[in-house]
Amino acid sequence: MRNIVFLSIPALRRQDMTRLPALNRLLEKGSVTDLCPSFPCVTCSVQANLTTGMLPWKHGIVGNGLWKPEERKVEMWTFNNESVETSQLWDLIYHHPDNPRSAVWFPLQAVECSAEFVCTHKPIHHPDGSEELWCYTRYPELYRELLKEFGHFPLQNYWGPMANIRSAEWVVHTAQWLAEREMPEFFYIYLAYPDYQPQRFGPNSPEVETMLGELNGLLDSLITHFTEAYDRKITWFIAGEYAMTEVSHTTFPNRVLREAGLLKVRESDGRQDSPIRSAARDYTRFAGELPDMETSSAFALCDHQMAHVFVPNKEESVIRKIVELFEGQPGIDEVLAGEGIARYGLQHPRSGDVILVSKPDSWMAYYWWLDDAKAPDFARKVDIHQKPGYDPCEQFLDLETKSIPLKPELVRGSHGAPARDLSQKTFFLCSDARFVPEYEIRDTDVFEWIMKSSWI
């Protein structure tokens, strides 16, 4: 049994490797090839593809958010490992006769997974809306030890306007700490840090160049410390997850549905129960215009460059109307319904009745209000788990007013659309050339190559 370290890192392109000499160190006896992410090319889905070798129709992770129609709840980013409906790498490695141990560090859907060592951010949400810093570890005493040694995971630096390398440093330093003490035979680490600057400034910006320099220093430290910590050779795997594209256009699916009479809203003063809720909070009261899910015929859960459109009553006439409504819309590349959804392996009960696909230079905002004065109060707050859709505008919070500008045009980079061009693809690297093919692979192939290496 060999020691395996698997890094999944978003927003990296093959060309970025010239800025990452730390990874080039691994190519002395290794190899690299192009990796094509599967649609939707978003974090939760791609990570499930990488770790199961399956597409969403099998593992069930159809995006970064799940819609629960019976509860009228949207759950963004927070679903537990039980949401992944098939075995992952650490589940299968567990059955190896040499009894290897696995560590899972900060990927999505890690909560309550079966690995021996688990750590991921999981703040405590209180009923009054306040938040307490905390991390989930399989055994609570592990986070208490990490807390004593490194302080709390700096969640404020993980997402939003203050996102920076500090959060990635905490992930790397705590992973090194565990490696020195336990040497788990399989170690999976997710480094989210490269995801943010491309969205703020564009993938070809000077800020991304600076970020890559910082990332290289962190990777160099990680590789050096792990090599020193382990008493046997490490086989390194690195998958880039997906790449970012420049965007200059925003689509508003819920506004289109509203103007067509399919999405109904009601105005709340914040004293009644909300007609749409979040799975991350106990409180449900908000002021402003909110979708009325009791009377609406459709609702779009927007997620970067794609959206699941849900039709509560599954009416064929409504589905046809939605397809006709969005075909030819600016920024829309494909409108999938019926058997067309299976084209990308998304024929799962959690998927929308219609799936919208952006063009590479466009992204989708969740907004449904037509007048910013009537936007719900949470729209101007950093609350990635509360909103019924992804909101990259949180990265542009005005620190003086503590308010998010409702200006989607600020966003310069996005991802999620099918990777048809080299600029939308990333790379797969292994320090042992035997476990990298000479041809382009898909994210679902990564699972197979890691499993091949683990049984030799």
Side-chain angles (χ1 to χ4, degrees):
M1 182 68 187
R2 62 182 62 237
N3 294 314
I4 298 169
V5 178
F6 175 29
L7 308 181
S8 63
I9 309 175
L12 294 183
R13 302 162 296 178
R14 183 71 174 266
Q15 69 193 65
D16 293 331
M17 285 198 64
T18 61
R19 304 283 188 241
L20 299 171
L23 295 188
N24 288 292
R25 285 170 50 189
L26 302 177
L27 292 177
E28 292 178 9
K29 296 184 179 179
S31 187
V32 63
T33 192
D34 293 324
L35 188 152
C36 182
S38 303
F39 176 78
C41 307
V42 297
T43 305
C44 293
S45 298
V46 170
Q47 287 187 7
N49 298 344
L50 292 169
T51 58
T52 68
M54 304 288 183
L55 289 171
W57 75 271
K58 188 71 173 177
H59 59 62
I61 307 302
V62 299
N64 293 321
L66 301 180
W67 170 242
K68 300 181 176 181
E70 67 284 353
E71 303 174 62
R72 301 202 311 273
K73 284 186 178 181
V74 172
E75 186 168 2
M76 294 295 298
W77 310 99
T78 57
F79 28 100
N80 285 8
N81 188 251
E82 65 182 8
S83 299
V84 183
E85 296 177 342
T86 189
S87 297
Q88 294 175 274
L89 282 164
W90 44 88
D91 297 316
L92 299 179
I93 289 173
Y94 175 80
H95 295 288
H96 189 280
D98 288 344
N99 299 314
R101 298 167 304 156
S102 295
V104 174
W105 231 242
F106 278 79
L108 281 299
Q109 293 93 54
V111 173
E112 297 181 4
C113 82
S114 65
E116 281 77 7
F117 306 99
V118 184
C119 185
T120 191
H121 57 91
K122 196 177 190 300
I124 300 169
H125 301 295
H126 296 292
D128 63 357
S130 62
E131 192 172 74
E132 181 181 344
L133 293 176
W134 200 254
C135 280
Y136 167 85
T137 53
R138 184 173 180 183
Y139 305 105
E141 58 268 23
L142 174 57
Y143 185 60
R144 294 190 184 99
E145 286 190 63
L146 296 175
L147 182 59
K148 186 184 302 183
E149 187 79 17
F150 301 98
H152 274 298
F153 172 68
L155 187 64
Q156 70 276 13
N157 303 124
Y158 184 71
W159 172 250
M162 295 188 290
N164 58 38
I165 200 169
R166 280 194 62 218
S167 59
E169 288 173 337
W170 197 96
V171 172
V172 167
H173 293 159
T174 54
Q176 291 169 178
W177 179 90
L178 185 73
E180 291 169 359
R181 283 156 180 77
E182 299 290 345
M183 291 187 291
E185 286 77 12
F186 177 77
F187 212 132
Y188 175 33
I189 305 171
Y190 170 54
L191 291 177
Y193 171 58
D195 217 20
Y196 312 133
Q197 299 295 64
Q199 295 183 64
R200 288 171 173 161
F201 304 106
N204 300 309
S205 62
E207 289 83 359
V208 168
E209 289 286 313
T210 300
M211 176 273 293
L212 290 171
E214 293 178 337
L215 176 64
N216 182 70
L218 205 56
L219 290 171
D220 191 63
S221 171
L222 178 68
I223 293 168
T224 299
H225 278 80
F226 267 62
T227 301
E228 293 172 353
Y230 279 76
D231 57 5
R232 287 183 294 178
K233 181 182 176 182
I234 297 172
T235 301
W236 293 86
F237 289 92
I238 293 92
E241 291 196 0
Y242 49 77
M244 295 274 185
T245 55
E246 300 271 358
V247 294
S248 56
H249 180 270
T250 309
T251 304
F252 302 91
N254 282 311
R255 287 179 174 173
V256 174
L257 293 172
R258 177 177 178 175
E259 290 171 341
L262 297 173
L263 177 67
K264 306 293 185 181
V265 302
R266 77 182 194 203
E267 194 160 358
S268 171
D269 60 7
R271 289 180 289 185
Q272 303 91 23
D273 281 349
S274 167
I276 189 167
R277 301 168 183 168
S278 163
R281 294 286 191 274
D282 293 327
Y283 65 93
T284 60
R285 300 186 177 190
F286 305 104
E289 285 187 344
L290 295 164
D292 190 338
M293 302 313 296
E294 293 180 355
T295 61
S296 292
S297 299
F299 167 72
L301 176 53
C302 299
D303 191 353
H304 296 82
Q305 292 181 323
M306 61 93 70
H308 289 278
V309 183
F310 297 93
V311 177
N313 297 323
K314 310 293 182 183
E315 296 179 42
E316 287 297 329
S317 60
V318 174
I319 292 172
R320 284 196 301 272
K321 183 176 181 179
I322 293 169
V323 171
E324 294 169 0
L325 195 61
F326 283 98
E327 284 183 335
Q329 280 275 351
I332 299 295
D333 191 39
E334 291 182 85
V335 182
L336 309 173
E339 293 181 359
I341 291 175
R343 185 184 312 162
Y344 294 106
L346 281 163
Q347 64 277 28
H348 190 279
R350 292 174 180 163
S351 288
D353 301 284
V354 179
I355 296 177
L356 308 176
V357 184
S358 286
K359 293 182 178 179
D361 63 350
S362 184
W363 71 280
M364 300 187 193
Y366 77 94
Y367 299 2
W368 51 74
W369 55 92
L370 305 179
D371 179 354
D372 284 351
K374 295 185 177 182
D377 48 7
F378 60 69
R380 291 184 171 86
K381 298 177 181 178
V382 176
D383 202 339
I384 194 169
H385 301 302
Q386 187 64 66
K387 297 173 182 178
Y390 175 65
D391 186 10
C393 290
E394 290 189 354
Q395 298 176 89
F396 301 98
L397 176 76
D398 185 324
L399 295 177
E400 289 187 10
T401 63
K402 296 183 179 180
S403 177
I404 293 170
L406 302 181
K407 296 180 178 180
E409 64 272 17
L410 293 173
V411 178
R412 311 314 286 169
S414 191
H415 60 96
R420 300 191 178 98
D421 182 83
L422 187 60
S423 66
Q424 295 169 286
K425 298 176 183 180
T426 178
F427 61 83
F428 174 62
L429 180 153
C430 180
S431 59
D432 188 331
R434 292 177 297 167
F435 305 118
V436 180
E438 296 180 358
Y439 50 84
E440 176 183 293
I441 67 169
R442 301 200 66 86
D443 50 9
T444 49
D445 298 324
V446 169
F447 173 92
E448 178 185 356
W449 287 99
I450 293 178
M451 288 304 296
K452 281 181 179 180
S453 76
S454 71
W455 302 113
I456 290 178

